[in-house]
Amino acid sequence: PDNLFRFRREAQTAGQIDHPHIAAIYEVGEKEEAPFIAMQYVDGMTLTTFPRKDIRELIRLIRDTALAVHAAHEKGIIHRDLKPANLMVAQKESAHIYVMDFGLAKETEVDTSISQSGLVIGTPAYMSPEQVEGKNDTLDHHTDIYSLGVTLYEMFTGEVPFRASSTYDLFKMIDEEEPKSPRSLRPKLDRDLETIVMKCLEKIPQRRYESAQELADELTRWLDGDAILSHPPSTVYRVQKFVSKRKLLVSIVTVALLSVCGLSGFLLIEQSKKRSAEEERIEADENRRIAEAAVLKAKENKLEVLRRETRYRLDTLLRLRRSGSREGIEEDVKQI
């Protein structure tokens, strides 16, 4: 009943939107207890199979899609299932895109460890983080902006941001991991286009474009060769995101680093103590060596004095002996 009510309500509201890039809805009702929507027939192909060689044409088509989605948002309608398969391209004078299937987003049952309600609405690979968490009652226009970002990512790289073998693993990736940069898959992609895509794919809704109109304006700037207003996330913000998503790992690493720093500090202190003791020993040895050298020098000086005195005395005695004067000898002996 809830699904049928939502189906009718959103389809009827979408039918009131008059926009050149939204497929017109003519009637909403039931036939033989089966609900139906009668909508505009679009002769063309979905964006899934549309040629992707002309990147400017692709950007123009997504820009027009964003304008259409913004018109729906102003009516209070969130598509919740934007993807290439729901975007039809008709070949008129030029490619003309239509947003299809408002109100037809399907519910998928998932593990309640991922989704709060156990049910999510939309196509898994194109869902926003808040969608995979099952926050269906609080979804706003930011979720469609995320899906447009996934669509742009796929148009540029040929891949969706996340793939996994199970819905559970896919939802965990969408909720917890960062997508690879588009330029890592397509190196020649313009950096401004990568910036636009990655802003759409921000985990926090408020960090995406504030409206689909803002996204359309940004794509128009690129098409016109003007500078875009968005900038890649700062290094500080990237570090904060890394830490917030890996709190346990960061805590373990922090404890390990503190332990290493503590051990290193202890070893440095012990090494400093050993170095001080060794320096003190060397200084004591040097002082002892200087003292011993001083004592030795004093002894040498004393011996030199004795040697000179002895020589003087001997020289005097020899001189007296040669002179033969007894009085002189006695006088000199007294002097000696």
Side-chain angles (χ1 to χ4, degrees), residues 23 27 89 99 146 172 244 263:
E27 185 179 357
V89 182
V99 181
Y146 184 95
K172 282 190 69 67
S244 66
L263 178 60

Side-chain angles (χ1 to χ4, degrees), residues 175-192:
D175 192 41
E176 298 177 1
E177 297 184 15
E178 295 300 322
K180 293 181 180 179
S181 69
R183 282 174 53 83
S184 68
L185 302 175
R186 186 176 177 179
K188 293 183 179 180
L189 182 68
D190 186 86
R191 290 185 183 276
D192 284 350

Side-chain angles (χ1 to χ4, degrees), residues 158-214:
E159 299 283 344
V160 289
F162 302 106
R163 288 190 184 278
S165 58
S166 70
T167 302
Y168 177 88
D169 290 337
L170 176 60
F171 282 4
K172 282 190 69 67
M173 292 175 71
I174 292 173
D175 192 41
E176 298 177 1
E177 297 184 15
E178 295 300 322
K180 293 181 180 179
S181 69
R183 282 174 53 83
S184 68
L185 302 175
R186 186 176 177 179
K188 293 183 179 180
L189 182 68
D190 186 86
R191 290 185 183 276
D192 284 350
L193 292 179
E194 178 179 74
T195 298
I196 292 171
V197 172
M198 297 304 283
K199 185 173 180 66
C200 292
L201 297 180
E202 285 281 0
K203 300 294 187 191
I204 302 174
Q206 290 71 28
R207 288 189 61 86
R208 300 171 202 155
Y209 288 102
E210 181 55 33
S211 67
Q213 179 69 57
E214 281 193 10

Side-chain angles (χ1 to χ4, degrees), residues 33-44:
E33 298 184 354
F36 71 87
I37 293 179
M39 65 172 58
Q40 176 183 355
Y41 172 73
V42 178
D43 184 13

Side-chain angles (χ1 to χ4, degrees), residues 78-146:
I78 304 168
H79 193 289
R80 288 195 290 259
D81 197 22
L82 287 171
K83 57 185 178 182
N86 281 340
L87 301 174
M88 290 290 295
V89 182
Q91 288 294 344
K92 299 182 178 180
E93 295 181 358
S94 61
H96 188 94
I97 200 161
Y98 291 91
V99 181
M100 313 284 288
D101 294 351
F102 278 96
L104 297 183
K106 296 179 180 178
E107 288 188 345
T108 302
E109 187 172 353
V110 296
D111 192 324
T112 53
S113 64
I114 289 291
S115 167
Q116 293 176 351
S117 65
L119 291 173
V120 296
I121 299 175
T123 303
Y126 298 87
M127 288 183 182
S128 65
E130 57 269 29
Q131 276 182 289
V132 304
E133 292 174 1
K135 299 177 180 178
N136 300 325
D137 295 336
T138 58
L139 293 181
D140 62 13
H141 60 282
H142 290 100
T143 196
D144 282 345
I145 294 172
Y146 184 95

Side-chain angles (χ1 to χ4, degrees), residues 175-273:
D175 192 41
E176 298 177 1
E177 297 184 15
E178 295 300 322
K180 293 181 180 179
S181 69
R183 282 174 53 83
S184 68
L185 302 175
R186 186 176 177 179
K188 293 183 179 180
L189 182 68
D190 186 86
R191 290 185 183 276
D192 284 350
L193 292 179
E194 178 179 74
T195 298
I196 292 171
V197 172
M198 297 304 283
K199 185 173 180 66
C200 292
L201 297 180
E202 285 281 0
K203 300 294 187 191
I204 302 174
Q206 290 71 28
R207 288 189 61 86
R208 300 171 202 155
Y209 288 102
E210 181 55 33
S211 67
Q213 179 69 57
E214 281 193 10
L215 172 58
D217 292 342
E218 197 79 303
L219 293 173
T220 298
R221 291 186 193 94
W222 188 90
L223 289 169
D224 292 343
D226 296 330
I228 65 171
L229 301 184
S230 305
H231 300 285
S234 65
T235 301
V236 172
Y237 176 68
R238 289 176 179 173
V239 171
Q240 289 174 341
K241 287 177 69 176
F242 180 87
V243 171
S244 66
K245 287 293 184 181
R246 298 167 178 82
K247 291 181 179 178
L248 178 60
L249 175 61
V250 171
S251 298
I252 293 172
V253 172
T254 301
V255 171
L257 287 175
L258 289 175
S259 299
V260 170
C261 290
L263 178 60
S264 298
F266 173 77
L267 293 175
L268 286 173
I269 292 172
E270 290 299 311
Q271 186 177 8
S272 177
K273 288 180 179 178

